[in-house]
Amino acid sequence: MIVLKNVHEMKEFIKESKSKGKKIGFVPTMGFLHEGHLALVDRAKPENDLVVMSIFVNPLQFGPNEDFERYPRDEEHDYKLAKDTGVDVLFIPGVDDIYPKALSIHMTVKERVNVLCGKKREGHFDGVVTVLTKLFHIIEPDAAYFGLKDAQQVAVVEGLVEDFFFPIEIVRVPTVREREGLAKSSRNVYLSDQERIEAPVIYHSLTNAANSLCNNKGDIKSVLQELRQCIELNTSGIVEYVDAYTFPSLTLPKQIKGEILIAVAVQFKQARLIDNIIVDLG
Amino acid sequence: MIVLKNVHEMKEFIKESKSKGKKIGFVPTMGFLHEGHLALVDRAKPENDLVVMSIFVNPLQFGPNEDFERYPRDEEHDYKLAKDTGVDVLFIPGVDDIYPKALSIHMTVKERVNVLCGKKREGHFDGVVTVLTKLFHIIEPDAAYFGLKDAQQVAVVEGLVEDFFFPIEIVRVPTVREREGLAKSSRNVYLSDQERIEAPVIYHSLTNAANSLCNNKGDIKSVLQELRQCIELNTSGIVEYVDAYTFPSLTLPKQIKGEILIAVAVQFKQARLIDNIIVDLG
């Protein structure tokens, strides 16, 4: 595995690789890798000649109340995991490499952001699309891989690529789950033993809701109500939201048609869990 | 010469060309071609395997008081000129191709815009960088060619490429001039016979100012004052601005060092002329 630490080196490497006709798959991360990230690599590996993973904790996507400095980092562990999973090139630029000076041009996401978790994270996705635009131009991937655990991020990134005609395929990778269905998350360790037993209810309720929609067993409102009740009755968590939106445009669904995202956020004592399911109603 | 009229076709063509390792030069235009545009092609031709010219009157860069509908168009004449100059691919997308729906992400230029002509054209450069980002992703050029006649546009585009690490070289092409030094412009035909005789003074005064700066014959303020007087004394035009900025950052020069842009705008009866010179003071 090659490790590159600055933009210029990375660009040179990509230029060389592209001249040889290599197909490049890109897995952007903020490091502190877990199975979710590795699933992206697993997916990218057979579909490309070269898998590039970036590790960059992007200050621009942290809000004033979100602690950029305290974001967990473990470069050594990341290196080992990336290497073992078959990453070909690990790109670890510094903040000054990616942001050598103040931006003369700002990107502002106007749609798909004032819903779900984005509601409370003003400017977060502006930072995400800015850094991705930079990384996309540095890596020039044929395909980039994003996990559906953060479905809103996938939606915003698909908007970015569509709006600006990036010559990049965005690959949606399904959420990695424990055997009982609980979505893998680094936050799961903060669940108490009892909460850990309850938490799989979230995904089971989501699949029930999805089935109800598919089989026409109720309108969206009643399906969401049932979903919320199911989580509230069977867990000690507090439901922050239970919402349904068209996907990836994230507007309120006017009819039960096309792709519908059902998403939830549940606050447990020490852990806030999110999960979602996308139903394709044709 | 191949003519392509939609984004999908163009992308397919580029994909094919890039797989063959072709070097692509890109000349973006709004059509109604003149010698200025052709100079860009002349420059691009020997430096690339393939020269792509786009003709797209971009509604997003027109202000509310600027008449997008009335912008001159002459597709037949453009076709002939482009072909004769050696353009390989002419890309003429429709507005609905480039803007199939409302943008979910907006680009806003924060620097280099509130000076020179940009002062009076709020939002103009937002439209320029948006359409160029789209075109850059469609054409994927190795190099893109811009005329220094619109030096502010060159500065903003260089900011765009630098900010977002576009893998594209921006080539600055010198202004094409009449024998007497007058910058070629489609607006020159609106000059009266007398004004046409006077107008070359603009460029002569600019070169004098550049020489004064190079040879340390005064500070910037006095050089600009002399430049303004020279134009006011020798032409019937009204000087709109005579300014000097660092190039391409377009800030007020704190010292006589690096690249300095000296730019003027002069209003004649029926024609507003702009011209500029860039002095490299090392």
Side-chain angles (χ1 to χ4, degrees), chain B residues 105-124:
Chain B
I105 299 170
H106 292 200
M107 296 178 84
T108 316
V109 189
K110 300 283 190 182
E111 288 173 19
R112 308 180 180 194
V113 288
N114 289 321
V115 295
L116 304 170
C117 299
K119 248 192 246 179
K120 291 190 174 175
R121 303 190 73 184
E122 207 194 313
H124 166 70

Side-chain angles (χ1 to χ4, degrees), chain B:
Chain B
M1 185 175 71
I2 297 167
V3 178
L4 296 173
K5 296 212 167 187
N6 75 63
V7 171
H8 178 72
E9 278 177 354
M10 191 68 227
K11 282 195 135 192
E12 285 300 307
F13 182 90
I14 291 295
K15 204 172 172 181
E16 172 85 11
S17 304
K18 288 194 94 74
S19 75
K20 291 178 190 154
K22 302 266 191 204
K23 195 177 173 202
I24 297 168
F26 176 41
V27 177
T29 83
M30 300 219 297
F32 214 71
L33 302 179
H34 54 65
E35 284 161 278
H37 302 106
L38 305 184
L40 305 179
V41 178
D42 286 340
R43 174 70 182 271
K45 199 69 188 154
E47 296 178 357
N48 297 278
D49 302 314
L50 208 63
V51 174
V52 179
M53 175 188 275
S54 64
I55 294 182
F56 180 65
V57 183
N58 176 30
L60 210 64
Q61 70 191 66
F62 285 77
N65 301 318
E66 297 168 10
D67 200 339
F68 165 71
E69 296 298 339
R70 276 179 52 204
Y71 193 86
R73 292 160 170 92
D74 187 346
E75 210 172 289
E76 210 170 309
H77 190 236
D78 287 348
Y79 176 89
K80 195 181 169 324
L81 284 183
K83 190 175 172 191
D84 290 351
T85 324
V87 167
D88 299 294
V89 183
L90 194 57
F91 179 46
I92 317 182
V95 171
D96 290 348
D97 283 301
I98 297 295
Y99 299 106
K101 56 182 184 176
L103 291 164
S104 71
I105 299 170
H106 292 200
M107 296 178 84
T108 316
V109 189
K110 300 283 190 182
E111 288 173 19
R112 308 180 180 194
V113 288
N114 289 321
V115 295
L116 304 170
C117 299
K119 248 192 246 179
K120 291 190 174 175
R121 303 190 73 184
E122 207 194 313
H124 166 70
F125 285 111
D126 299 344
V128 171
V129 299
T130 300
V131 79
L132 284 176
T133 297
K134 286 172 176 259
L135 291 170
F136 285 169
H137 290 151
I138 296 166
I139 316 279
E140 296 183 68
D142 296 275
Y145 296 78
F146 292 86
L148 279 169
K149 177 88 190 303
D150 190 345
Q152 188 169 18
Q153 177 171 270
V154 172
V156 169
V157 173
E158 289 187 0
L160 171 69
V161 166
E162 200 179 318
D163 271 6
F164 294 107
F165 299 117
F166 278 89
I168 299 172
E169 183 197 356
I170 298 303
V171 180
R172 306 174 180 175
V173 178
T175 303
V176 182
R177 299 183 179 282
E178 308 285 351
R179 253 182 311 174
E180 317 91 333
L182 177 63
K184 294 241 188 198
S185 162
S186 38
R187 285 164 177 153
N188 291 349
V189 296
Y190 300 126
L191 295 169
S192 71
D193 290 351
Q194 176 56 31
E195 287 174 335
R196 179 64 188 77
I197 292 167
E198 299 163 3
V201 166
I202 296 172
Y203 184 59
H204 296 154
S205 318
L206 277 168
T207 49
N208 284 341
N211 285 330
S212 297
L213 275 191
C214 278
N215 300 318
N216 235 333
K217 284 191 190 150
D219 60 10
I220 289 178
K221 198 178 159 189
S222 66
V223 166
L224 291 182
Q225 204 159 23
E226 200 182 331
L227 169 55
R228 175 185 284 269
Q229 276 169 358
C230 186
I231 295 171
E232 283 175 344
L233 280 174
N234 296 292
T235 79
S236 54
I238 292 162
V239 174
E240 189 188 299
Y241 63 72
V242 168
D243 285 329
Y245 293 102
T246 59
F247 195 80
S249 52
L250 301 190
T251 57
L252 285 172
K254 285 180 190 136
Q255 41 192 335
I256 303 186
K257 210 182 116 182
E259 286 190 296
I260 304 280
L261 170 77
I262 311 173
V264 305
V266 183
Q267 181 68 55
F268 288 90
K269 273 218 182 70
Q270 304 288 335
R272 179 177 172 278
L273 304 187
I274 60 168
D275 203 352
N276 67 73
I277 198 165
I278 295 172
V279 200
D280 192 347
L281 299 162

Side-chain angles (χ1 to χ4, degrees), chain A residues 23-89:
Chain A
K23 193 176 174 206
I24 297 168
F26 176 41
V27 177
T29 81
M30 300 218 298
F32 214 70
L33 303 180
H34 54 64
E35 283 161 279
H37 302 105
L38 305 184
L40 305 179
V41 178
D42 286 339
R43 174 70 182 271
K45 200 69 189 154
E47 297 178 357
N48 298 278
D49 301 315
L50 209 63
V51 174
V52 179
M53 175 187 276
S54 64
I55 293 182
F56 180 65
V57 183
N58 176 31
L60 211 63
Q61 69 192 65
F62 285 76
N65 300 320
E66 297 169 8
D67 199 339
F68 165 70
E69 296 298 338
R70 276 180 50 204
Y71 192 86
R73 291 157 170 93
D74 187 345
E75 209 172 289
E76 210 170 308
H77 189 236
D78 287 347
Y79 175 89
K80 194 182 170 321
L81 284 184
K83 190 176 173 191
D84 290 349
T85 324
V87 167
D88 298 294
V89 183

